[in-house]
């Protein structure tokens, strides 16, 4: 698929997906969502890629939201379809086997904050600004924000942010647990790459099984979740990389993982 609204770069083990509509502050319209879906499929199928970073093109925005010009004329039926489409793509991102790091500079509003929340790890620049401003536009978060925000930061704080539509800066987002780290803006991508490199050195199947166990387990009761963990632990021990990882420890050498 030829991309017009995103850029997908690949370097060795790393894929970097840029949301690339800087004139609209990278707002998400349907075409952009479709291209993100295609990029997720591409990266998922590419055996060389271990980690994906998602960021925004330009200096001003990660993503300033779902595209208001696109949404304004939608009928109820069309809006429900658009919301379900966006939710599906956020979910694809959330459950893809490879870890996804959001590198967030500037505005991460509405659908932008929701896109970041569907990623595994959020790294913010010190100029990042987060909000769920939807109720000020007469709607509610429609790409999973009403569900992921309370799971990440707690129900009371999620309700406050959603009802007031307040902007919060990066340091507050860090305090609330919405982002993992905050860096000076000019260091953000270097730090995201460093984290990606660290993850890429680990056993890829084990990282994927850990992602699965955490993701599925977070939706289950503790006993069911423990069962999921045990299943995934068992899966790890059916890989060559587990034999290699533990063998290398016992032989006092560095492991060489093969993704097998
Ligand atoms: N959509 C479309 N265009 C946008 C946009 C957006 N979300 N955000 C910015 N732009 C466009 C502006 O219209 C402007 O375009 P031109 O006028 O140059 O053509 C260009 O980007 C630059 O923006 P500004 O001139 O406004 O730049 P400033 O630096 O002055 O202000 C700003 C930046 C981010 C504070 C401001 O642009 C702003 O307030 N933008 C809107 C932010 C926002 O409210 N975002 C949340 C959108 S609502 C659902 C599905 C999904 C959702 C909800 C329901 N269902 C289907 C049920 C999700 C909703 C949202 O995400």
């Amino acid at each position: 698929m030829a991309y017009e609204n995103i850029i997908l770069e690949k370097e060795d083990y790393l894929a970097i997906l840029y949301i690339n509509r800087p004139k609209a502050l990278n707002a998400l319209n349907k075409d952009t969502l479709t291209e993100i879906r295609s990029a997720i499929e591409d990266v998922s199928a590419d055996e060389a890629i271990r980690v994906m970073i998602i960021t925004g093109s330009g200096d001003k925005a990660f993503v300033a939201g779902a595209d208001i010009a696109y949404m304004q004329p939608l009928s109820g039926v069309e809006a429900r379809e658009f919301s379900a489409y966006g939710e599906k793509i956020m979910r694809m991102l959330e459950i893809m086997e490879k870890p996804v790091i959001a590198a967030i500079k500037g505005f991460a509003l509405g659908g932008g904050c929701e896109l970041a929340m569907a990623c595994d790890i959020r790294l913010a620049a010190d100029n990042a600004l987060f909000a769920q401003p939807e109720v000020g536009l007469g709607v509610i978060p429609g790409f999973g924000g009403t569900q992921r925000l309370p799971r990440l930061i707690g129900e009371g704080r999620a309700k406050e942010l959603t009802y007031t539509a307040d902007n919060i800066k990066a340091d507050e987002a860090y305090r609330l647990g919405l982002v993992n780290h905050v860096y000076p803006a000019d260091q953000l991508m270097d730090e995201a790459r460093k984290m990606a490199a660290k993850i890429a050195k680990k056993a890829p199947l084990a990282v994927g099984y850990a992602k699965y166990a955490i993701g599925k387990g977070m939706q289950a009761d503790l006993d069911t979740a423990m069962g999921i963990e045990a299943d995934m632990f068992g899966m790890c021990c059916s890989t060559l990389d587990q034999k290699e990882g533990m063998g290398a420890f016992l032989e006092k050498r560095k492991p060489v993982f093969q993704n097998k």
Side-chain angles (χ1 to χ4, degrees), residues 17-207:
L17 192 168
Y18 296 86
I19 311 299
N20 186 38
R21 299 183 71 214
K23 285 187 183 152
L25 301 183
N26 302 323
L28 301 174
N29 58 13
K30 193 160 182 197
D31 289 346
T32 309
L33 290 171
T34 299
E35 293 181 19
I36 294 171
R37 184 183 67 181
S38 170
I40 294 168
E41 287 166 352
D42 177 331
V43 168
S44 296
D46 188 333
E47 289 207 358
I49 300 298
R50 299 275 181 269
V51 185
M52 180 159 79
I53 294 173
I54 297 189
T55 193
S57 289
D59 295 329
K60 279 186 75 176
F62 175 68
V63 166
D67 191 313
I68 297 170
Y70 175 81
M71 290 188 293
Q72 196 273 341
L74 295 183
S75 68
V77 171
E78 290 164 338
R80 190 178 193 287
E81 194 261 338
F82 182 55
S83 177
Y85 191 62
E87 283 171 348
K88 182 176 157 195
I89 287 152
M90 305 295 151
R91 188 77 182 126
M92 280 175 74
L93 194 60
E94 190 167 52
I95 65 174
M96 70 186 275
E97 200 176 315
K98 298 169 192 190
V100 184
I101 299 170
I104 305 150
K105 57 180 168 353
F107 298 112
L109 309 177
C113 188
E114 293 173 292
L115 176 66
M117 287 192 287
C119 298
D120 295 288
I121 293 166
R122 282 154 294 284
L123 307 182
D126 52 8
N127 69 357
L129 201 69
F130 298 83
Q132 295 294 160
E134 287 86 351
V135 294
L137 296 162
V139 290
I140 65 170
F143 292 157
T146 61
Q147 304 310 310
R148 290 196 182 91
L149 192 60
R151 283 167 169 78
L152 266 173
I153 68 171
E155 185 181 336
R157 288 180 292 217
K159 283 178 171 170
E160 180 181 337
L161 280 183
T162 305
Y163 302 168
T164 63
D166 278 347
N167 289 336
I168 56 167
K169 293 183 177 167
D171 55 351
E172 176 70 352
Y174 175 74
R175 202 182 63 77
L176 292 175
L178 182 56
V179 302
N180 297 51
H181 300 279
V182 180
Y183 300 109
D186 62 353
Q187 292 169 25
L188 177 69
M189 283 309 285
D190 284 347
E191 294 294 341
R193 284 170 189 274
K194 269 191 226 165
M195 185 177 281
K198 205 183 267 187
I199 295 169
K201 286 201 184 84
K202 308 301 181 208
L205 290 168
V207 171

Side-chain angles (χ1 to χ4, degrees), residues 199-218:
I199 295 169
K201 286 201 184 84
K202 308 301 181 208
L205 290 168
V207 171
Y209 295 149
K211 176 167 176 169
Y212 183 88
I214 293 169
K216 281 280 178 206
M218 287 296 289

